[in-house]
């Protein structure tokens, strides 16, 4: 995780994912499958993404399940309920 701070990046991310409802095993798998999540801004990328999914009608258990299953096949984040989550994150970062 070159250029990322444990205190500034990883700890707040893990805490936010726990607050969202993921357990430690789900968090470890999500980060292991998609380590780029550690570089996303909570405020600019991840929180707006969760809000977007909520606005589309997904409930917290569906969102938690989706985040826990994020992976990176063929260089793209897995889609969530048919939505290209990776594209949405790239747009927010862009």
């Amino acid at each position: 995780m070159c250029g990322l701070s444990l205190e500034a990046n990883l700890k707040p991310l893990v805490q936010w994912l726990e607050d969202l409802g993921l357990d430690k095993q789900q968090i470890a798998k999500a980060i292991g499958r998609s380590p780029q999540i550690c570089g996303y801004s909570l405020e600019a990328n991840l929180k707006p993404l969760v809000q977007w999914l909520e606005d589309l009608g997904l409930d917290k258990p569906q969102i938690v399940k989706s985040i826990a299953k994020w992976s990176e096949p063929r260089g793209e984040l897995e889609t969530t309920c048919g939505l290209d989550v990776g594209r949405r994150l790239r747009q927010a970062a862009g």
Side-chain angles (χ1 to χ4, degrees):
M1 297 195 303
C2 218
L4 297 178
S5 162
L6 179 65
E7 292 296 323
N9 300 95
L10 192 54
K11 283 186 177 183
L13 172 65
V14 170
Q15 183 62 55
W16 179 75
L17 291 170
E18 286 179 339
D19 293 346
L20 195 61
L22 279 80
D23 63 37
K24 291 190 184 299
Q25 185 177 8
Q26 290 172 315
I27 294 168
K29 284 182 181 179
I31 292 173
R33 288 181 182 140
S34 296
Q36 73 274 12
I37 193 174
C38 296
Y40 292 136
S41 164
L42 284 175
E43 298 302 322
N45 304 107
L46 297 174
K47 289 180 181 180
L49 174 66
V50 168
Q51 183 61 55
W52 178 67
L53 293 171
E54 289 175 340
D55 292 347
L56 291 172
L58 276 71
D59 60 20
K60 287 285 186 193
Q62 290 172 311
I63 294 169
V64 166
K65 183 177 179 182
S66 298
I67 292 172
K69 290 187 174 194
W70 279 352
S71 64
E72 197 175 0
R74 298 179 305 283
E76 295 293 329
L77 283 172
E78 185 177 343
T79 58
T80 299
C81 300
L83 305 169
D84 186 348
V85 174
R87 182 174 54 88
R88 176 71 178 167
L89 282 170
R90 288 189 295 278
Q91 286 174 341

